[in-house]
Amino acid sequence: MPKPYVYINCAMSIDGKLSLKNGMPISISDEEDLKRVHQLRSSVDAILIGANTVINDDPSLRVKEKYVENPKQPIRIILDGKGRINDNARVLDGSLETWILTSKNNPKEYLKAKKVIFEKEIISVYEILKYLESNGISKLLVEGGGTIISEFITENAFDLLTIYVGNIIIGENAPSIVRAFTASSEKETIKLQLLKTETKKNGILLYYSPI
């Protein structure tokens, strides 16, 4: 099936956590890594995140000129199957093109965003990619959260995964990079190909691809 090039990027603690115990955000990337992330954002057609990331982090997904001169602003794509995101969320401010992918059971209207309706309440990764490819998205950046990242990894629906491992430890019961998957045997584990590593000032950057 034709699909966009899918680039997953995230930052995690030494013990593999994406955020604090209650799902609230914490700064893991340093300035060096933030510059890399914004350069990456400027190189893609669209950025995809889920409703939980909007609710917990309220990101703008804007490429900041602090990090990239004359940046290209990608389309913001939000998965909000049940209409849970707040009307005051920064991704709904109308400043950038924004698509909300949702189910036919969601009556919510998004005044400053394009509402894309799917027949099923649970939208599959491949349905999303098929729609995006047919609507001109050739390079997609998936930023989170853990549930969305899990779905792309478990469905083998990505081309490159980069993980910045910072210099902090968060502890147990905090969300990890993979949330919607648990292996009960070695056979069920997911193996990836480590392509390279880069040592940074306050962490390490890992590059993986599917095997």
Side-chain angles (χ1 to χ4, degrees):
M1 182 197 79
K3 71 171 186 62
Y5 183 93
V6 177
Y7 193 131
I8 302 174
N9 180 73
C10 64
M12 70 180 189
S13 63
I14 294 170
D15 53 339
K17 308 302 182 183
L18 295 176
S19 62
L20 297 176
K21 179 179 178 180
N22 55 5
M24 297 305 293
I26 183 172
S27 295
I28 296 175
S29 293
D30 59 9
E31 283 294 303
E32 179 185 25
D33 190 57
L34 287 174
K35 182 176 181 179
R36 177 191 65 85
V37 171
H38 282 267
Q39 289 173 338
L40 177 57
R41 285 181 175 180
S42 187
S43 72
V44 301
D45 300 312
I47 304 174
L48 183 146
I49 61 172
N52 285 337
T53 299
V54 175
I55 293 167
N56 292 327
D57 298 3
D58 193 24
S60 70
L61 301 183
R62 175 178 291 276
V63 182
K64 296 181 180 179
E65 293 190 6
K66 172 183 177 181
Y67 301 111
V68 181
E69 186 177 355
N70 300 317
K72 181 188 80 171
Q73 298 293 346
I75 297 169
R76 303 181 291 197
I77 298 177
I78 315 301
L79 301 185
D80 188 27
K82 297 181 179 179
R84 297 189 297 122
I85 65 175
N86 193 297
D87 290 336
N88 296 322
R90 291 199 289 172
V91 292
L92 297 180
D93 63 8
S95 64
L96 300 175
E97 185 174 359
T98 304
W99 301 354
I100 308 296
L101 308 190
T102 190
S103 76
K104 65 178 182 180
N105 297 323
N106 173 18
K108 185 181 180 71
E109 294 299 327
Y110 305 88
L111 299 180
K112 296 180 180 180
K114 174 183 176 182
K115 184 179 180 180
V116 180
I117 299 174
F118 290 80
E119 286 297 309
K120 298 177 181 178
E121 183 172 343
I122 299 176
I123 310 167
S124 76
V125 167
Y126 285 103
E127 286 179 303
I128 293 167
L129 294 178
K130 181 180 179 180
Y131 175 83
L132 296 181
E133 193 277 334
S134 65
N135 283 271
I137 304 300
S138 60
K139 192 171 184 180
L140 175 69
L141 174 60
V142 177
E143 287 200 357
T147 301
I148 301 298
I149 291 173
S150 297
E151 291 174 0
F152 276 85
I153 291 176
T154 56
E155 292 294 331
N156 206 33
F158 72 99
D159 297 280
L160 184 64
L161 164 66
T162 50
I163 305 172
Y164 175 78
V165 183
N167 61 352
I168 62 172
I169 294 174
I170 295 175
E172 64 179 357
N173 299 324
S176 66
I177 183 174
V178 176
R179 299 185 63 182
F181 168 80
T182 302
S184 57
S185 68
E186 183 177 352
K187 186 177 180 180
E188 294 179 357
T189 61
I190 298 173
K191 294 180 173 61
L192 302 178
Q193 177 68 47
L194 178 62
L195 301 176
K196 66 175 181 177
T197 65
E198 294 179 1
T199 301
K200 303 297 183 179
K201 181 179 179 181
N202 293 307
I204 187 169
L205 186 62
L206 309 174
Y207 292 76
Y208 290 97
S209 68
I211 292 179

